[in-house]
Amino acid sequence: MKILLIMDPGIPVPPKLYGGHERLVYLFAEEYTRLGHEVTLLAGPDSHCSGKVITFGANDLNRSKMQQYKEVLFVWKYLIKNHQKFDLVHNFGRLIYYFPILNKSVKKLMTYGRPVSRRGIRIINALPNKNLVFTACSNNCVATGNVAGQWHTIYNAIDFDQYRLNEGVAPDAPLMFLGRLDKIKGVHNAITVAKATGNKLLIAGNISHTEDNYLYFKTEIEPCIDDDRIVYLGALNDEEKNNYLGQAKALLFPIEWDEPFGIVMIEAMACGTPVIAFNRGSVPEVVEDGVNGFRVNNVDEMISKIDSIQLIDRFACRQAVIQRFDVSIVASQYLSLKTT
């Protein structure tokens, strides 16, 4: 089968540091190739995979509207000219990319990893279309856009072979927070929990450059960093992430929004590290109480669960998720979807 994968420019595929969706696209490109399919990747500059790569646009998350308009035109021209060469187009980028081939017979998957614009879904489905399937990374995320069309929940994935299981850590092993340092991710809650329980906290992730979140970091997070009990590691590459997650006794996931998935949860579990998470968004679909972590409702409940972490078997923690979220499993789910 000939497969075209599409990802927005802004961050290369795969990313060097931050870029969860770009990492997913790379994993699926490699897995589709491993399964014997002929893969073409359409993505931002400096992207690469084992298949054919066509780059476009600019690697700048703050690029102008005019630049984004040019990128849409590029994809439209490419699809108009080349869509008949493919058996499947799998789009992780903008829905508008599909506009010129909506009613063409090629099978089209539209995958979401963030809350969905219902207006866009209604508009697209009001137009003549064929063989278009929508997916999102959790039941919670599907619910944000399932107002028209054919929808399926297909979870995000990682390559578990790239994560080392650490079956035992010391009682004084650190807690960890890993994620973008935006207020909705709740790193301030993680700091509160670490201080209240006398634990060291490792913080890793990129500092947002949006005005509100940069101010949040400078005023609420940076003053707490002492390089002793509260340590900021910066943004981590894959090897560093593997190393630090494996050393931690628990990953804290104290989100203040409805996280569509949270890949970091399964990255931690792949290392055997359980997750204590606020019970919202996709968390109920990922965290099994007492098996791979604990679901809690607030900071006080998170504090109360820290001592229970030692009861979780780290080998069982990994095994509980590998059959659900490994890239080999998830890629097969995508390829088995039927259009209507």
Side-chain angles (χ1 to χ4, degrees):
M1 185 160 62
K2 293 183 178 181
I3 301 175
L4 174 65
L5 281 167
I6 306 175
M7 183 60 201
D8 292 330
I11 298 173
V13 173
K16 293 180 174 65
L17 296 170
Y18 174 75
H21 294 116
E22 290 77 11
R23 186 170 284 105
L24 278 173
V25 172
Y26 178 74
L27 285 176
F28 291 125
E30 296 302 288
E31 182 63 17
Y32 290 160
T33 300
R34 188 189 70 79
L35 292 171
H37 303 293
E38 186 178 323
V39 173
T40 299
L41 171 65
L42 198 59
D46 301 321
S47 296
H48 66 87
C49 72
S50 296
K52 181 180 179 181
V53 180
I54 298 168
T55 60
F56 71 107
N59 282 338
D60 178 5
L61 293 178
N62 297 312
R63 60 199 187 282
S64 68
K65 292 290 185 182
M66 179 56 69
Q67 174 61 35
Q68 294 181 52
Y69 173 72
K70 291 178 181 177
E71 292 165 0
V72 170
L73 288 181
F74 181 94
V75 177
W76 282 1
K77 290 177 182 178
Y78 182 85
L79 288 176
I80 290 169
K81 182 179 179 180
N82 296 286
H83 71 273
Q84 291 178 317
K85 298 177 182 178
F86 299 102
D87 303 293
L88 169 65
V89 182
H90 192 173
N91 182 12
F92 287 80
R94 300 179 65 182
L95 177 59
I96 198 173
Y97 291 157
Y98 273 148
F99 184 76
I101 63 165
L102 268 179
N103 209 31
K104 303 297 182 181
S105 60
V106 61
K107 182 176 179 180
K108 297 170 283 289
L109 299 184
M110 181 67 221
T111 292
Y112 287 97
R114 56 178 64 88
V116 182
S117 165
R118 295 189 174 193
R119 178 175 178 270
I121 298 300
R122 288 191 177 100
I123 290 172
I124 285 292
N125 280 284
L127 297 171
N129 66 83
K130 294 177 184 175
N131 298 333
L132 176 61
V133 178
F134 298 91
T135 74
C137 58
S138 63
N139 294 333
N140 180 270
C141 193
V142 164
T144 68
N146 189 8
V147 292
Q150 178 184 341
W151 283 83
H152 298 272
T153 295
I154 297 189
Y155 292 114
N156 284 342
I158 61 173
D159 181 356
F160 277 77
D161 288 341
Q162 301 301 311
Y163 293 84
R164 297 184 300 273
L165 170 65
N166 183 3
E167 293 197 53
V169 298
D172 63 348
L175 301 169
M176 189 166 184
F177 174 93
L178 175 60
R180 194 172 67 249
L181 303 186
D182 291 0
K183 187 169 185 178
I184 60 172
K185 298 288 190 174
V187 65
H188 57 287
N189 294 323
I191 291 172
T192 299
V193 171
K195 287 183 174 181
T197 57
N199 281 282
K200 183 174 183 176
L201 176 68
L202 303 179
I203 299 171
N206 61 308
I207 301 168
S208 175
H209 293 292
T210 62
E211 185 176 351
D212 56 341
N213 282 307
Y214 183 73
L215 180 63
Y216 161 73
F217 175 79
K218 298 299 288 187
T219 58
E220 296 188 47
I221 305 307
E222 192 173 54
C224 298
I225 297 169
D226 59 12
D227 294 324
D228 178 27
R229 305 302 295 176
I230 309 295
V231 179
Y232 177 50
L233 302 170
L236 304 181
N237 62 31
D238 289 347
E239 179 58 29
E240 291 168 331
K241 195 188 310 183
N242 206 325
N243 179 46
Y244 284 111
L245 283 172
Q247 293 178 19
K249 63 182 171 187
L251 176 81
L252 302 184
F253 197 69
I255 49 173
E256 294 193 345
W257 76 309
D258 290 331
E259 184 81 42
F261 187 78
I263 292 175
V264 65
M265 290 192 287
I266 55 174
E267 289 178 323
M269 294 168 185
C271 298
T273 302
V275 177
I276 311 178
F278 282 7
N279 193 30
R280 57 185 302 179
S282 65
V283 167
E285 301 174 56
V286 179
V287 178
E288 297 179 68
D289 260 331
V291 177
N292 55 20
F294 297 102
R295 301 193 300 267
V296 298
N297 296 305
N298 52 50
V299 167
D300 288 339
E301 289 185 10
M302 185 169 279
I303 289 170
S304 72
K305 287 296 183 181
I306 296 297
D307 287 341
S308 299
I309 284 297
Q310 62 183 330
L311 303 176
I312 292 183
D313 181 282
R314 291 174 69 97
F315 177 80
C317 174
R318 177 182 165 101
Q319 291 304 115
V321 290
I322 193 170
Q323 294 303 320
R324 299 178 65 206
F325 304 120
D326 186 71
V327 64
S328 62
I329 303 294
V330 177
S332 294
Q333 291 172 349
Y334 276 123
L335 295 178
S336 68
L337 287 177
K338 305 297 183 184
T339 56
T340 57

